[in-house]
Amino acid sequence: MAGKDRILVLGPTGAIGRHIVWASVKAGNPTYVLVRDTPQNVNKPRLVTAANPETRDELLHNFQNSGVFLIQGDMNDHQSLVNAIKQVDVVICSFGRLLIEDQVKIIAAIKEAGNVKRFFPSEFGLDVDRHDAVEPVREVFEEKAKIRRIIEAEGVPYTYLCCHAFTGYFLRNLAQIDTTVPPRDKIFIQGDGNVKGAYVTEADVGTYTVEAANDPNTLNKAVHIRLPANYLTLNEIVSLWEKKIGKSLEKIHVPEEKVLKDIQELSFPNNYLLALYHSQQIRGDAVYDIDPTRDVEASEAYPYVKYTTVDEYLNQFL
């Protein structure tokens, strides 16, 4: 039996990159990460930090102890990037929103290296070819879509990973602003609360990403993570939470006009988070049909993966 593909993760200490690294190690893929000598200083929103408390140095130490290969390099150093890519078969990028357009440098390095079987650009959210998001989220989605078009034009083999809503950003606070735990008294609900959303833990995103990386059937397709037990309306999620805490919450429904006004008036990160919530909870950007010629539904392709359900996830806050 042939050995598993070697996987390089770019952005390995980020909110999703760390989980892809661990999933790759668990799956038995030889795993590589690109590490800069001087990491960028990014002031992360409280919600992100709460969901990912492990520091960069702690992660790198644990990676190394687990057999992960640490490669010194930098996305802005073309030759170091090419040298790193030549050592692997699959490249998975998990850069944050500020570095999306810089992925053209990765594409150029992949083209020069000439050995990559698959590139996963940094998506890990809603399908950027199927959305009706507003600013400031729309600009990021359009940047991601632009990267897709460049990949396709350059003939780079790819897989796009559409995971929708991270539980760490959307569920741990039930889509409330300025809190990192679910509410116990009242909750603000965008719209009527009856629009389906798709939720998944960051760890499960890592698992499904590596499953897709090891699956030849996902070549040049988009993989969509809409798990049956986690494809829920906010009203359904609130009902689950109310049963757990044994009380009903006061529900304040916010009309779309007010949500849009708040997005315009708030500063980052709240305006960005509110726009993400709006995209899923009002515009229904997680609701669409699968096209088998270009899409793969993760739960159907990998039914053996035991994922964390919304119901299970909420238990940690009791």
Side-chain angles (χ1 to χ4, degrees), residues 7-246:
I7 292 177
L8 171 65
V9 180
L10 304 176
T13 60
I16 186 60
R18 63 186 67 196
H19 297 287
I20 297 171
V21 172
W22 289 129
S24 179
V25 171
K26 185 178 180 180
N29 290 83
T31 306
Y32 298 70
V33 300
L34 189 70
V35 181
R36 289 180 297 180
D37 290 327
T38 54
Q40 184 179 10
N41 183 21
V42 178
N43 184 20
K44 295 181 179 179
R46 282 195 312 129
L47 190 60
V48 179
T49 304
N52 303 279
E54 204 172 12
T55 68
R56 175 184 184 271
D57 289 342
E58 289 170 342
L59 275 170
L60 294 179
H61 177 73
N62 292 335
F63 287 164
Q64 200 159 25
N65 286 345
S66 300
V68 175
F69 299 96
L70 275 57
I71 305 175
Q72 293 294 327
D74 194 296
M75 178 186 63
N76 295 312
D77 181 343
H78 177 73
Q79 195 55 54
S80 74
L81 192 55
V82 171
N83 293 342
I85 289 171
K86 282 183 177 180
Q87 300 179 52
V88 302
D89 306 295
V90 176
V91 177
I92 301 175
C93 182
S94 60
F95 288 163
R97 61 183 182 85
L98 298 178
L99 297 175
I100 296 302
E101 291 184 310
D102 284 346
Q103 290 179 106
V104 294
K105 300 170 185 176
I106 301 169
I107 296 169
I110 287 173
K111 290 283 287 185
E112 181 171 329
N115 61 292
V116 169
K117 297 178 181 179
R118 200 93 63 87
F119 175 45
F120 286 67
S122 187
E123 297 234 350
F124 305 106
L126 296 167
D127 187 336
V128 298
D129 283 335
R130 293 179 170 112
H131 76 88
D132 190 26
V134 299
E135 296 295 359
V137 168
R138 174 176 287 275
E139 180 181 7
V140 176
F141 286 178
E142 288 176 349
E143 289 173 358
K144 291 182 177 182
K146 181 180 176 182
I147 292 297
R148 283 189 178 190
R149 304 293 87 82
I150 295 172
I151 290 169
E152 293 156 5
E154 292 292 335
V156 171
Y158 66 84
T159 299
Y160 304 139
L161 205 293
C162 307
C163 66
H164 301 282
F166 292 150
T167 51
Y169 290 34
F170 287 75
L171 263 195
R172 69 178 296 118
N173 61 355
L174 299 193
Q176 305 302 288
I177 296 297
D178 282 333
T179 180
T180 59
V181 295
R184 288 177 175 263
D185 296 310
K186 65 180 178 180
I187 184 168
F188 293 90
I189 298 174
Q190 291 192 11
D192 61 14
N194 291 323
V195 179
K196 289 281 188 183
Y199 302 86
V200 61
T201 67
E202 289 84 338
D204 287 337
V205 173
T207 298
Y208 283 112
T209 300
V210 174
E211 288 287 343
N214 289 324
D215 182 0
N217 294 320
T218 63
L219 178 63
N220 295 337
K221 290 186 176 181
V223 175
H224 304 261
I225 305 178
R226 295 187 300 183
L227 308 171
N230 294 1
Y231 195 41
L232 303 169
T233 68
L234 188 56
N235 284 341
E236 289 172 326
I237 294 171
V238 171
S239 179
L240 278 174
W241 178 239
E242 287 176 328
K243 289 177 183 177
K244 290 182 183 298
I245 63 175

